[in-house]
Structure formats: C-alpha cells, structure tokens
Amino acid sequence: MTFLDLVSEKQLTLYKISMMCGLPKTTLHDISSGKSDLLNCSGKTLLDISKVLGVSIEDLLMLEKEDKKEEFPLFLNKSIENLRKAIRTNSTLIDCYYDELASSINVAEVDGYITKEIANKLRMRYL
C-alpha cells in the first residue's frame, strides 16, 4: 500500500490532511508523488500525518514508495493507475484491471521497455 492508497482508504484528500495537521499541501503532494521520502521527513511531520491518518509512525514508514512514472511506458503507467483506482473504489471490475496490468507488464517486458527484474518486481507487488 502506498501513501496515496492509505489516504484514499481513510477517505481523505491531501488538502484535508493539510488543513488537519497544518502541513503545506506541497509537502504532502511531494510525499504522495514519491518526490519526497517519508524517511526524510521530520519526526513532527511524521507524527502529525500519523495522527490524522490514524496509523503508527512505523506503519507510515512501512508504506511502499510510489513508482516513478518515467521508468515505465505510458500504457503500463495507465494500467497501474487503473488498478489502484479500482482497488480504492472497490470496483466490481477489479479482476479486469488485474488482467490488464498483467498483460501490460508482459508486453512491456517482451518489447524491451522494462527488464525482467522490473517486470517480476511489478508482478510481485500488484499481482
């Protein structure tokens, strides 16, 4: 689960978290986009976020990092986004999104857009 997945699960927005804990929205956006790492945040920032989200600081630090989109071709990024959205919204079509992502990973690997190691990492993470 990523930071954005947790925020969505708690039915919050980055703006609402920002208002609740007094952190700049840009800080939260940097964390959610993977630009900033939670491990580099101050203790106060981690404490504020963990209180608002109702999780421990340890759980916050255990969240998966967002993948940097520039590493993957556009179609693979879209498949990942579609699956994440389906998970967040409890879509009845979630199996279709898993299949779409599995196909996208296979195509990206076979066509040489990603290495076998990255393809396996994505499969372990999402499938």
Side-chain angles (χ1 to χ4, degrees):
M1 175 181 289
T2 65
F3 181 74
L4 275 180
D5 294 334
L6 179 60
V7 168
S8 182
E9 181 180 278
K10 300 294 182 172
Q11 298 181 339
L12 294 169
T13 63
L14 296 179
Y15 177 76
K16 187 162 187 167
I17 294 170
S18 172
M19 293 292 105
M20 293 171 75
C21 64
L23 292 171
K25 186 178 174 199
T26 54
T27 299
L28 296 169
H29 179 70
D30 287 349
I31 292 169
S32 67
S33 69
K35 184 177 180 182
S36 294
D37 193 337
L38 282 165
L39 292 171
N40 296 329
C41 291
S42 71
K44 181 181 179 340
T45 297
L46 292 173
L47 183 62
D48 291 344
I49 294 171
S50 70
K51 283 182 180 178
V52 169
L53 294 177
V55 298
S56 69
I57 292 175
E58 292 81 14
D59 288 341
L60 208 56
L61 294 174
M62 296 291 289
L63 293 173
E64 297 173 16
K65 292 178 180 74
E66 292 290 334
D67 291 320
K68 293 184 179 174
K69 294 183 179 186
E70 54 270 9
E71 293 178 18
F72 307 128
L74 184 61
F75 68 89
L76 183 52
N77 282 329
K78 187 67 177 164
S79 294
I80 291 169
E81 288 174 23
N82 288 344
L83 177 61
R84 286 183 176 168
K85 183 176 179 184
I87 291 169
R88 291 176 186 149
T89 61
N90 290 325
S91 172
T92 57
L93 301 173
I94 198 160
D95 289 341
C96 296
Y97 291 109
Y98 277 114
D99 290 343
E100 174 192 2
L101 180 55
S103 296
S104 293
I105 292 169
N106 291 341
V107 168
E109 180 184 8
V110 169
D111 288 350
Y113 291 112
I114 60 174
T115 64
K116 182 176 183 172
E117 292 77 24
I118 299 228
N120 287 336
K121 176 186 165 198
L122 290 171
R123 288 182 188 108
M124 292 295 293
R125 180 172 179 184
Y126 294 109
L127 306 178

